[in-house]
Amino acid sequence: MTETILLVGGGGREHAIAQAIAESDQDVDLYACAGNRNPGITALADGFETLETTDPQAVCEYATEIDATLAVVGPEAPLAAGVVDALDEAGIYAFGPQQNEARIETDKAFQREFMAENDITGCPDFEVFTDLDAACDFIDEYDGDLAVKPRGLTGGKGVRVIGDQITAEEAKEYIQESNYEEFVLEERLVGEEFTVQAMVSDGEVRCAPAVQDHKRAYEGDNGPNTGGMGSYSDATTALPFMTEEDYAEAVTIIDEVIDALPEYKGILYGQYMLTADGVKVVEFNARFGDPEAMNTLPVLETDFVDILVAARDEAPLPELSFADQATVCKYAVPDGYPIDPSAGAKVTIDAESAGDAKFFYASVDERDDGIYTTTSRSYAVVGVDDTISEAEQIAEGALERAGTEGLRVRHDIGKPELVQSRIDHMSEIRR
Ligand code: AMP
Ligand code: GLY
């Protein structure tokens, strides 16, 4: 039987998902919808519709029109808007959690309260505040640094960490002057961050190797937080600064979450801080990471569509197999990203010349006369090889050939010096 799959979303992560679907041995017709025309996705899809992906009715109408047998939702905003609920309701199985389960990402207060109530391992101390004056008093009284998190979705850009990005005084100003109405204040975690993404259906969990993203905009981990500037994974499930036991701990935490959320389906993404006291949870996301999907899907040897079909049919999920290879992903982003991105700039990208690297278009818009930037990340290259440093060199070669005029890249990601500094940082913390 031919599967007709609707992919929702138009970023780099969704281009990587489209590629994984296109590489399936199953008979697949792929359709996609997004707010932007991602040329990588339109090239792989049998049909494409520009629409507002947070409009459940619009997505459902398109899914019905193409007779979709399955849907995959890439970004968090449609999950938060109830797109999965609407598709499921219309009889079109969507690989993604419904609105209620997606709160594990979309509502940071829910996420922490859920962890506390269910005794999930690795929850930092936290308090939730609707009274902003009380939040500021808490900052004054708390013994130690805090992370300040608006309750809802902020695209990874709303969190401020005292003692890292800002002072306590600046944090209080941020709370009083921003338009957010509710905040989670939590213990600042110190260590190295990593991500584990799991495919989940019917209480079953299948985890991918760990990935490390780079949130800060500029080299040397400076500047504001972004959606992620690039990421790497190793040829094993752990990363060079962590042990296999740390990875196993992260997997256990995902298992605990799914035990407490048996209805959950789709991707569960654990963002962790490896600290002196072990693995702690920074947050959960209800979808693949972007960029992390571009590390994980290219080394996934299991047929991605087999996983989707098994999830829909409530059949046992296949065990996942990953190539024993390292990956390095680097994003090219518009000048000024994330604070004042030069959206609407025409860019010349030579995707064909990426050579032995994988090339993923992200939040660019293809128009009749060329490709234009949006306010978000433009394209990514991914090197895959036996070691992180070989993969890094492949990614750099591809960036040079593809061209980065008018765009900015964190060249330090995946370089031996930066990876070594992570190892050194962790051994200092664990001493
Ligand atoms: P989030 O949107 O919750 O992923 O937060 C964005 C980034 O803020 C994370 O990737 C961390 O770098 C940082 N962060 C969030 N929570 C904490 C915390 N409790 N301690 C230290 N850093 C944090
Ligand atoms: N790379 C971080 C995220 O996808 O949220």
Side-chain angles (χ1 to χ4, degrees), residues 353-402:
S353 65
D356 46 359
K358 316 267 174 204
F359 182 96
F360 297 110
Y361 282 104
S363 298
V364 287
D365 197 30
E366 182 184 34
R367 301 183 199 157
D368 289 343
D369 65 339
I371 295 173
Y372 288 82
T373 56
T374 67
T375 55
S376 194
R377 300 164 291 186
S378 303
Y379 79 83
V381 294
V382 181
V384 180
D385 210 326
D386 293 339
T387 65
I388 295 169
S389 86
E390 286 165 300
E392 195 274 335
Q393 284 169 21
I394 292 174
E396 278 297 323
L399 282 170
E400 217 166 279
R401 292 189 299 274

Side-chain angles (χ1 to χ4, degrees), residues 151-208:
R151 178 169 193 155
L153 285 179
T154 61
K157 294 158 203 140
V159 175
R160 299 286 182 281
V161 181
I162 300 175
D164 181 19
Q165 297 153 312
I166 53 173
T167 63
E169 286 313 307
E170 286 163 346
K172 290 192 276 183
E173 272 165 42
Y174 175 61
I175 288 174
Q176 296 289 8
E177 284 165 20
S178 69
N179 291 323
Y180 304 115
E181 288 169 2
E182 201 169 341
F183 285 87
V184 178
L185 265 54
E186 64 184 35
E187 171 192 359
R188 175 190 175 193
L189 303 167
V190 177
E192 280 296 325
E193 282 186 78
F194 69 96
T195 300
V196 176
Q197 302 160 101
M199 306 193 194
V200 181
S201 167
D202 217 10
E204 287 190 308
V205 171
R206 300 283 184 271
C207 290

Side-chain angles (χ1 to χ4, degrees), residues 285-305:
N285 290 328
R287 41 148 184 105
F288 275 120
D290 188 346
E292 293 94 327
M294 294 182 282
N295 301 91
T296 301
L297 290 170
V299 292
L300 175 66
E301 291 174 334
T302 311
D303 192 315
F304 185 59
V305 174

Side-chain angles (χ1 to χ4, degrees), residues 22-350:
E23 284 168 9
S24 171
D25 289 335
Q26 295 217 29
D27 215 352
V28 175
D29 289 338
L30 173 65
Y31 290 79
C33 59
N36 61 305
R37 278 184 77 86
N38 175 322
I41 297 175
T42 55
L44 293 169
D46 297 295
F48 180 87
E49 183 86 354
T50 308
L51 53 73
E52 200 61 66
T53 57
T54 50
D55 178 350
Q57 203 185 333
V59 176
C60 258
E61 270 169 23
Y62 186 52
T64 308
E65 183 189 316
I66 61 168
D67 275 330
T69 57
L70 261 173
V72 183
V73 180
E76 60 276 24
L79 301 173
V83 165
V84 168
D85 306 53
L87 286 165
D88 286 347
E89 181 79 12
I92 299 162
Y93 175 89
F95 192 65
Q98 293 195 351
Q99 207 171 31
N100 197 42
E101 279 79 34
R103 284 185 303 157
I104 192 122
E105 165 167 11
T106 60
D107 180 344
K108 286 184 195 294
F110 167 80
Q111 179 197 110
R112 289 313 191 198
E113 282 158 359
F114 162 84
M115 287 189 78
E117 277 162 27
N118 292 284
D119 259 334
I120 309 284
T121 309
C123 187
D125 291 341
F126 72 95
E127 295 272 345
V128 180
F129 292 94
T130 44
D131 177 339
L132 303 187
D133 293 332
C136 292
D137 290 344
F138 186 73
I139 292 178
D140 285 333
E141 288 153 18
Y142 189 80
D143 181 20
D145 289 331
L146 291 163
V148 177
K149 301 181 162 189
R151 178 169 193 155
L153 285 179
T154 61
K157 294 158 203 140
V159 175
R160 299 286 182 281
V161 181
I162 300 175
D164 181 19
Q165 297 153 312
I166 53 173
T167 63
E169 286 313 307
E170 286 163 346
K172 290 192 276 183
E173 272 165 42
Y174 175 61
I175 288 174
Q176 296 289 8
E177 284 165 20
S178 69
N179 291 323
Y180 304 115
E181 288 169 2
E182 201 169 341
F183 285 87
V184 178
L185 265 54
E186 64 184 35
E187 171 192 359
R188 175 190 175 193
L189 303 167
V190 177
E192 280 296 325
E193 282 186 78
F194 69 96
T195 300
V196 176
Q197 302 160 101
M199 306 193 194
V200 181
S201 167
D202 217 10
E204 287 190 308
V205 171
R206 300 283 184 271
C207 290
V211 184
Q212 188 176 48
D213 187 14
H214 297 69
K215 293 249 157 98
R216 297 301 195 89
Y218 312 129
E219 293 189 4
D221 292 325
N222 291 306
N225 271 347
T226 68
M229 293 296 295
S231 45
Y232 65 94
S233 63
D234 208 347
T236 59
T237 52
L239 292 164
F241 57 82
M242 60 193 273
T243 65
E244 289 296 336
E245 288 74 35
D246 299 325
Y247 175 79
E249 177 81 5
V251 170
T252 302
I253 292 172
I254 290 180
D255 287 335
E256 289 176 4
V257 170
I258 296 306
D259 281 346
L261 281 182
E263 302 296 311
Y264 197 94
K265 62 188 168 78
I267 305 298
L268 181 64
Y269 163 123
Q271 176 75 22
Y272 302 98
M273 187 79 79
L274 186 55
T275 72
D277 305 322
V279 176
K280 303 278 177 176
V281 175
V282 173
E283 65 162 349
F284 293 110
N285 290 328
R287 41 148 184 105
F288 275 120
D290 188 346
E292 293 94 327
M294 294 182 282
N295 301 91
T296 301
L297 290 170
V299 292
L300 175 66
E301 291 174 334
T302 311
D303 192 315
F304 185 59
V305 174
D306 287 352
I307 299 166
L308 300 178
V309 169
R312 180 196 58 202
D313 296 346
E314 293 178 13
L317 281 184
E319 293 299 332
L320 301 188
S321 161
F322 290 92
D324 295 330
Q325 292 205 291
T327 66
V328 173
C329 173
K330 301 199 193 202
Y331 252 127
V333 304
D335 273 338
Y337 174 82
I339 291 165
D340 185 22
S342 52
K346 191 170 178 179
V347 285
T348 323
I349 309 170
D350 184 4

